[in-house]
Structures are given as structure tokens and as C-alpha cells.
């Protein structure tokens, strides 16, 4: 397998709005991030994925961009950005920008022009359609509730928005749109940034004729999944690769909702004609996904193993994957798969970080930050959660209390509460009033106390990152073959990684009960080394052995 830096790296995702506020306005900012680079260097990551920092009216916290070449006022200035980039580079940390080009804000100059008249030269930058029988042109729903179409009074037509009505979809079939996007990307590359994370890039090519889609039970509209992996998506990405990406030594990761393994092999093909890696969601959909998002099903461990194993095996040698459980759209894994305890945080991290793919750590994950007890819907800020609550309760499809308990479990806001830096007021995030509530557990869970405790989740993550990036086992961890053991076991995730005659054994008990397992004899011999474990007494390898609740260990065997 070809060796490259982005396979050997660990990414840290920053959601700037909630990371660190340097000027007391209650909103995180770029100077706040620059001030924490030493902390990130200490953790050992070498790439930052910066969620959007561009000018935006913030209907979707920056995923609605009004100007791709300006910084959001609340976050600072372009000088602040340049300083962040320089300071990060000085510490050996690269910066990957969020590229949101499936849609813009309705306040972007292109859309302002586009909507001004039917014959404006930017009209075709977006997807406009006549009404059909006095209604929307098709039955697609927006990912944020309601129809995916908005009626525009001025020109008496509908425009398509797969997300909020302030996020009109760009028309990628128009070559002038592609020219403009590629020009803008080139501008950022010339500035010296180190890559792009591409927002819902699998949705840029809409199906021919925009046909109606199937409406799932309990839903009001067709799922916009119908727009994933459209007819020209690979053609457009190959064009992007030819015209921009191939000219720079950068990392590219496609957020590829609705991607299958077969599609992923194209997006992230090893020949490098499209993107470096996919970021896909099958495993985080196992407790309810898609139209079923507001469900609270327990994740079945055998199903999780089968799913992650499928991706490990199928992409090996031919494509590259991201490894994650947390990001700004997902609830906290320690509350979802774990039981909020530091042991469960460490165990889950081990299960992920020993796999093949590029790992992503989401801010706060490295100190075991948990879901937040928001309480009433008024305490939420996320457009997706708020709209879903309104739509589903008003339509009588869900009972308010029951739905609220699912939102409490699944809402994206769980990931967006302020980073917990210390035990002072507002967790040291701001001296002002935070834009979203702080998780009340900040007095126990915060960076300051994590740094003072050598057994903390933070130091455990640091060790995992070191093992991957700079240890005698790095090559095996990054490039080794993956093989699952004990596929049927209800609690234990066990697998091996092998390369050139060396072999690692990973054992993770993903339950709070102690369990017995039966290992194959060749895995149970006296280990050559213990790489990492999360409890004082490491489990003793044997054909028949016991693991305590949330216990994990990695051996060289
Ligand atoms: C995916 C992003 O991760 C999410 O936060 C955003 O709301 C949508 N794309 C729309 O840009």
C-alpha cells in the first residue's frame, strides 16, 4: 500500500463557535484557537479540521456561507486566520478547511443575483423550477424538515434547498459554477492551507429530471438521500482533482452521506483520481439513521462489528476511510455507546484508534465530554433539532415528551456545548454569556483537571495517538491487515492487525459487565508486549479469559 502522510496522521476537529472565546462575546473565535495550539500539540494530533469560519448569517452555524473568501465577523479577521495558519505550521500542525459547496447561503452574492430575475446571468447557478400543479416541483424533504423547495415571490418559481431555505443548492451541472468553485479552492490552496473536508459532497449531482422519491413510513417527504451519489458526482470530482487538488500536496476528505462500499471505492480510490478518503456514516446510523434519526435504539455490538469490519476489509488496498464516532453532527460517543465513564471513553477510543483509516478526534472527546442535559426544547440552538420537534409534534406524528427524550439523546447540540477548559464559570470558555449552554458537568470534566491526572482520558488519547504516529508499532497500526475475531460475541470487539510477520491483538469489552471469552490458541500465547490498557491490572491472555466491564488492552502477539 502506498505510504502517505495523511494515512499516518490523526485529525482533530474544531467547531470554532464552541472551542474558545478570546473576546468575551460568548462565541468562540480564531484567536481562541491559536491560543490553544500548544494544548493540541501536547495531545499529539497533526491536522486540524476547522469547521466553517467564513462569512455567514449562521442559519446553520456557518454551513451557510455568504462569502467563501471572508472570515465570519464573530470569529475575527483574515489576519487572525493567517496567524492561526502560521502558528499551526510552526508546531507541525496542518489546517484542513471545511469546503461547503453543495449549497451557499441565500445571502451569497451569487444567490442574491440569481433570485433577482429570471434572466440574470447567475440564474442558472442554482436549481430553479416552475410550480407543479400549484405546488412544489417534487416531493423531496429538506434535511431540516419541511419541503426541499422554497417559493420565491419575485420570480414566481421554486428553488431547491436540501438543507434550510437559507441554504440554496448550487447547480453543479453548470460549468460556470464549477469554474467559480475551483477558482475559490485554488485561492485557498495558494494561501497555504493543507486540505479540504468536503461537506455533503456526495449530494452535488442531482438525479436527472429531479424525480419524486419514496416516502418512508412516519415521514412527510421523500428523504433527500435520493440526491446522494448522483449521475455526475465522480465526473465532477475528477474534474476538481485535475484542475485543483492534483496541483497541491493536500489532504481531501469527502463527507459522503449515503455512500456504499462500492461508491466509496470510487470516491477514495487508491489511484488518487478523486479524493483521499471518505467520511461515511453507516456505523453511526446503527441506533437509527436517515428518516429514523429520532430513535433511541441500542447499538448492537455484533452489528457494529460486522459493519466496521465490512469497511475495514472492503477498502483495504483499494481506498481509504476515516475512523470516527464523534463530530459536530453526532451525539457524544461516551454517552451513546459508553456509560459516560472515563473507562468507557478509553475503551471505545482503543477500539477505533487501532483500526485502519485516518482517525478523527472531535473537540472534547479527548477529555471524555458527555451529552448535555438540555431540558426543554428552548435550550437547543440547532436548526435540525428545533425544526424536527416543531414539525413532528405539530403533525401529530410524535408525542412531545417522547420526541424530546430522543432529541436529548441524538441532537447535534450535544457536540456543540462549549469546550470545557477548567472549573471556573462557563468552563473557562468565555467571560461573557455563552451562545449555547455549558454542560453542568464541567466542574468534574475539564482540560485543567485532565492535564493534572496522569490516568485521565486525555493522556490515554495521547498515548493512542503516539502509538499510531511515532512508535515501533506505527506501521502495523497504519498499514497492517485487519481481521475480526469473535464476530458473534455480544460485548467484546476483538481483532488483529498484521504486517510483515508482526501481529497486534486488540481486545475491547464494550459493556459494563465483566465477560468471559474464548480466544483462538494462536492469539492466546504469551504476548511479546502490552501496548496499552485502560485499567491497573491488564487482562491475562489465555484461551479462556475474563475482561472486566469496559476493560481493553492491545498486545503484540
Ligand atoms: C453536513 C454538516 O456536517 C452539517 O453540520 C450541516 O448542517 C450540513 N452538512 C449542511 O451543510
Amino acid at each position: 500500500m502506498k505510504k502517505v502522510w495523511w494515512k499516518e496522521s490523526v485529525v482533530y476537529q474544531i467547531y470554532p463557535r464552541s472551542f474558545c472565546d478570546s473576546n468575551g462575546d460568548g462565541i468562540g473565535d480564531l484567536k481562541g484557537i491559536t491560543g490553544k495550539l500548544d494544548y493540541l500539540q501536547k495531545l499529539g494530533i497533526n491536522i486540524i479540521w476547522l469547521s466553517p469560519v467564513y462569512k455567514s448569517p449562521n442559519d446553520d452555524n456557518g454551513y451557510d456561507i455568504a462569502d467563501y473568501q471572508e472570515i465570519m465577523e464573530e470569529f475575527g479577521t483574515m489576519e487572525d486566520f493567517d496567524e492561526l495558519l502560521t502558528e499551526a505550521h510552526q508546531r507541525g500542525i496542518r489546517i484542513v478547511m471545511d469546503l461547503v459547496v453543495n449549497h451557499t447561503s441565500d445571502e451569497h452574492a451569487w444567490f442574491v443575483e440569481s433570485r433577482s430575475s429570471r434572466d440574470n446571468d447567475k440564474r442558472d447557478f442554482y436549481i430553479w423550477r416552475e410550480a407543479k400543479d400549484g405546488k412544489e416541483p417534487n416531493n423531496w424533504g429538506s434535511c431540516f424538515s419541511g419541503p426541499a423547495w422554497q417559493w420565491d415571490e419575485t420570480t414566481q418559481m421554486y428553488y431547491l434547498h436540501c438543507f434550510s431555505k437559507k441554504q440554496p443548492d448550487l447547480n453543479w451541472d453548470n460549468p460556470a459554477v464549477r469554474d467559480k468553485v475551483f477558482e475559490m479552492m485554488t485561492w485557498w490552496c495558494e494561501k497555504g492551507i493543507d486540505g479540504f473536508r468536503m461537506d455533503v459532497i456526495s449530494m452535488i449531482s442531482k438525479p436527472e429530471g429531479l424525480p419524486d422519491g419514496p416516502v418512508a413510513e412516519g415521514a412527510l417527504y421523500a428523504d433527500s438521500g435520493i440526491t446522494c451519489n448522483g449521475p455526475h458526482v465522480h465526473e465532477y470530482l475528477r474534474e476538481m482533482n485535475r484542475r485543483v487538488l492534483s496541483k497541491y500536496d493536500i489532504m481531501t476528505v469527502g463527507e459522503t452521506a449515503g455512500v456504499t462500499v462500492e461508491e466509496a471505492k470510487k470516491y477514495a480510490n487508491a489511484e488518487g483520481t478523486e479524493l483521499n478518503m471518505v467520511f461515511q456514516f453507516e456505523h453511526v446510523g446503527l441506533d437509527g439513521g436517515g428518516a429514523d434519526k429520532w430513535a433511541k435504539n441500542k447499538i448492537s455490538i455484533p452489528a457494529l462489528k460486522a459493519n466496521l469490519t465490512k469497511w475495514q476489509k472492503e477498502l483495504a488496498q483499494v481506498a481509504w476511510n476515516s475512523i470516527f464516532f464523534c463530530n459536530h453532527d453526532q451525539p457524544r460517543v461516551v454517552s451513546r455507546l459508553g456509560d459516560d465513564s472515563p473507562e468507557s471513553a478509553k475503551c471505545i477510543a482503543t477500539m477505533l484508534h487501532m483500526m485502519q483509516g485516518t482517525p478523527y478526534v472531535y473537540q472534547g472527546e479527548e477529555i471524555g465530554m458527555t451529552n448535555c442535559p438540555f431540558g426543554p426544547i428552548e435550550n437547543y440552538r440547532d436548526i435540525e433539532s428545533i425544526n424536527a420537534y416543531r414539525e413532528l409534534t405539530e403533525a401529530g406524528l410524535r408525542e412531545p415528551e417522547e420526541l424530546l427524550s430522543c432529541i436529548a439523546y441524538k441532537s447535534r447540540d450535544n457536540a456543540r456545548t462549549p469546550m470545557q477548559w477548567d472549573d471556573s464559570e462557563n468552563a473557562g470558555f468565555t467571560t461573557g454569556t455563552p451562545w449555547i449552554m455549558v454542560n453542568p458537568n464541567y466542574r468534574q470534566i475539564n482540560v485543567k483537571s485532565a492535564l493534572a491526572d496522569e490516568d485521565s482520558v486525555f493522556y490515554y488519547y495521547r498515548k493512542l495517538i503516539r502509538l499510531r504516529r511515532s512508535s515501533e508499532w506505527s506501521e502495523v497500526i497504519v498499514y497492517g491487515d485487519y481481521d475480526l475475531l469473535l464476530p458473534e460475541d455480544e460485548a467484546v470487539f476483538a481483532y488483529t492487525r498484521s504486517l510483515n510477520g508482526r501481529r497486534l491483538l486488540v481486545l475491547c469489552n464494550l459493556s459494563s459487565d465483566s465477560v468471559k471469552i474464548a480466544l483462538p490458541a494462536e492469539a492466546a500465547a504469551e504476548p511479546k508486549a502490552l501496548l496499552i490498557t485502560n485499567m491497573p491490572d491488564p487482562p491475562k491472555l489465555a484461551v479462556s479469559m475474563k475482561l472486566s466491564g469496559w476493560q481493553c488492552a492491545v498486545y503484540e502477539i
Side-chain angles (χ1 to χ4, degrees):
M1 191 180 287
K2 203 172 146 219
K3 296 193 173 161
V4 273
W5 60 267
W6 44 262
K7 292 181 181 169
E8 297 166 5
S9 296
V10 177
V11 181
Y12 187 90
Q13 185 193 350
I14 292 184
Y15 197 67
R17 203 175 180 78
S18 304
F19 192 62
C20 181
D21 174 19
S22 73
N23 64 354
D25 66 356
I27 297 173
D29 47 46
L30 295 176
K31 278 195 181 304
I33 299 171
T34 307
K36 298 295 184 187
L37 287 172
D38 288 341
Y39 166 73
L40 297 177
Q41 191 177 30
K42 180 162 185 159
L43 178 60
I45 58 92
N46 62 321
I47 299 175
I48 291 173
W49 152 20
L50 210 51
S51 272
V53 295
Y54 319 92
K55 185 172 174 190
S56 164
N58 283 303
D59 197 45
D60 184 21
N61 290 350
Y63 282 90
D64 47 323
I65 297 173
D67 189 330
Y68 291 101
Q69 281 155 254
E70 279 208 36
I71 298 295
M72 190 191 300
E73 233 172 82
E74 295 93 317
F75 289 177
T77 62
M78 195 56 85
E79 287 68 49
D80 296 341
F81 178 83
D82 293 339
E83 186 191 11
L84 169 61
L85 190 63
T86 310
E87 292 287 326
H89 285 171
Q90 274 169 11
R91 290 167 179 78
I93 297 176
R94 306 192 203 223
I95 304 259
V96 165
M97 304 296 283
D98 217 313
L99 182 78
V100 188
V101 288
N102 172 69
H103 45 269
T104 67
S105 162
D106 65 338
E107 297 182 30
H108 193 290
W110 299 338
F111 190 73
V112 173
E113 280 192 52
S114 182
R115 82 185 324 175
S116 66
S117 75
R118 285 189 177 214
D119 55 13
N120 183 278
D121 70 353
K122 294 279 186 316
R123 184 65 170 182
D124 214 21
F125 265 48
Y126 295 85
I127 301 171
W128 293 95
R129 288 292 181 277
E130 300 285 356
K132 193 172 150 198
D133 307 325
K135 292 207 298 261
E136 286 83 11
N138 68 21
N139 69 352
W140 298 358
S142 144
C143 295
F144 296 156
S145 302
W149 295 94
Q150 177 66 24
W151 178 249
D152 192 64
E153 280 301 331
T154 317
T155 57
Q156 299 283 301
M157 279 175 92
Y158 281 98
Y159 67 83
L160 178 70
H161 60 89
C162 289
F163 294 89
S164 99
K165 59 176 188 269
K166 287 183 66 62
Q167 292 168 297
D169 281 54
L170 281 165
N171 174 17
W172 273 73
D173 295 335
N174 179 353
V177 166
R178 305 202 293 276
D179 288 347
K180 282 284 184 204
V181 169
F182 299 160
E183 226 174 78
M184 173 273 284
M185 292 173 70
T186 303
W187 184 86
W188 279 101
C189 289
E190 288 297 320
K191 204 179 217 331
I193 58 119
D194 304 290
F196 297 107
R197 173 267 181 186
M198 303 188 187
D199 192 70
V200 289
I201 203 70
S202 52
M203 289 169 68
I204 59 173
S205 168
K206 313 302 187 232
E208 227 72 72
L210 311 183
D212 277 346
V215 181
E217 215 192 302
L220 295 169
Y221 304 94
D223 192 296
S224 61
I226 191 164
T227 63
C228 292
N229 311 310
H232 303 287
V233 66
H234 298 291
E235 176 191 325
Y236 296 156
L237 288 178
R238 284 195 299 268
E239 182 184 345
M240 178 196 283
N241 185 297
R242 253 190 340 268
R243 293 177 57 186
V244 187
L245 310 178
S246 58
K247 304 197 166 127
Y248 302 92
D249 180 25
I250 56 174
M251 176 187 119
T252 53
V253 47
E255 190 203 24
T256 44
V259 75
T260 57
V261 160
E262 284 318 308
E263 283 292 323
K265 288 181 188 170
K266 300 182 204 157
Y267 285 111
N269 68 73
E271 291 75 46
T273 59
E274 296 188 22
L275 306 176
N276 295 149
M277 66 187 95
V278 289
F279 195 97
Q280 57 78 29
F281 299 93
E282 277 190 1
H283 60 298
V284 291
L286 293 174
D287 49 5
D292 221 14
K293 163 148 188 176
W294 307 110
K296 246 170 55 169
N297 309 324
K298 211 170 152 1
I299 297 181
S300 134
I301 300 303
L304 178 69
K305 291 192 283 189
N307 186 274
L308 290 177
T309 300
K310 173 182 83 178
W311 284 90
Q312 290 286 304
K313 296 302 272 183
E314 299 262 345
L315 295 199
Q317 310 297 336
V318 293
W320 196 255
N321 205 353
S322 307
I323 316 172
F324 76 98
F325 234 103
C326 294
N327 79 359
H328 65 293
D329 295 329
Q330 301 295 327
R332 295 282 181 179
V333 70
V334 68
S335 305
R336 191 179 197 181
L337 194 57
D339 66 354
D340 283 354
S341 67
E343 290 70 33
S344 67
K346 294 172 184 174
C347 184
I348 295 163
T350 307
M351 179 268 283
L352 285 174
H353 281 246
M354 288 296 134
M355 288 193 181
Q356 187 170 86
T358 300
Y360 288 66
V361 179
Y362 177 72
Q363 66 184 42
E365 179 185 339
E366 78 283 11
I367 54 167
M369 275 179 66
T370 66
N371 275 359
C372 177
F374 283 102
I377 194 71
E378 290 70 35
N379 287 344
Y380 288 85
R381 296 288 172 271
D382 169 30
I383 183 171
E384 181 191 45
S385 310
I386 296 169
N387 288 359
Y389 183 79
R390 200 189 46 229
E391 179 172 286
L392 297 171
T393 56
E394 278 175 8
L397 289 168
R398 301 285 288 266
E399 287 302 318
E401 227 170 272
E402 177 267 338
L403 179 56
L404 198 58
S405 83
C406 292
I407 291 178
Y409 174 65
K410 276 287 188 62
S411 174
R412 312 194 293 179
D413 276 345
N414 283 305
R416 300 175 180 187
T417 59
M419 180 71 183
Q420 294 165 205
W421 293 106
D422 59 37
D423 59 1
S424 69
E425 207 184 345
N426 297 323
F429 162 70
T430 180
T431 54
T433 308
W435 70 276
I436 187 171
M437 75 182 263
V438 177
N439 192 319
N441 65 16
Y442 73 91
R443 289 193 198 276
Q444 295 79 48
I445 301 176
N446 61 65
V447 168
K448 189 172 163 211
S449 63
L451 291 178
D453 170 11
E454 59 178 24
D455 282 333
S456 67
V457 177
F458 175 89
Y459 287 115
Y460 194 88
Y461 264 80
R462 179 157 99 145
K463 193 162 179 197
L464 283 174
I465 294 168
R466 277 195 185 153
L467 283 171
R468 170 174 292 261
R469 293 202 52 225
S470 55
S471 78
E472 57 169 305
W473 297 283
S474 296
E475 287 218 321
V476 192
I477 295 171
V478 176
Y479 297 106
D481 292 339
Y482 165 100
D483 285 290
L484 182 69
L485 303 175
L486 316 178
E488 313 291 338
D489 193 284
E490 294 286 331
V492 176
F493 206 142
Y495 59 88
T496 58
R497 301 292 312 280
S498 334
L499 187 78
N500 301 333
R502 295 187 76 181
R503 196 157 175 231
L504 306 180
L505 170 67
V506 182
L507 295 178
C508 301
N509 176 7
L510 297 177
S511 82
S512 48
D513 301 323
S514 70
V515 291
K516 282 202 180 113
I517 53 169
L519 279 183
E522 87 274 7
E526 184 63 29
K528 295 192 183 121
L530 172 66
L531 280 62
I532 191 166
T533 187
N534 65 342
M535 288 178 195
D537 298 315
K540 174 124 186 53
L541 272 194
V543 170
S544 168
M545 63 177 288
K546 218 180 99 186
L547 290 167
S548 316
W550 299 116
Q551 193 169 34
C552 66
V554 182
Y555 305 91
E556 181 172 359
I557 56 170

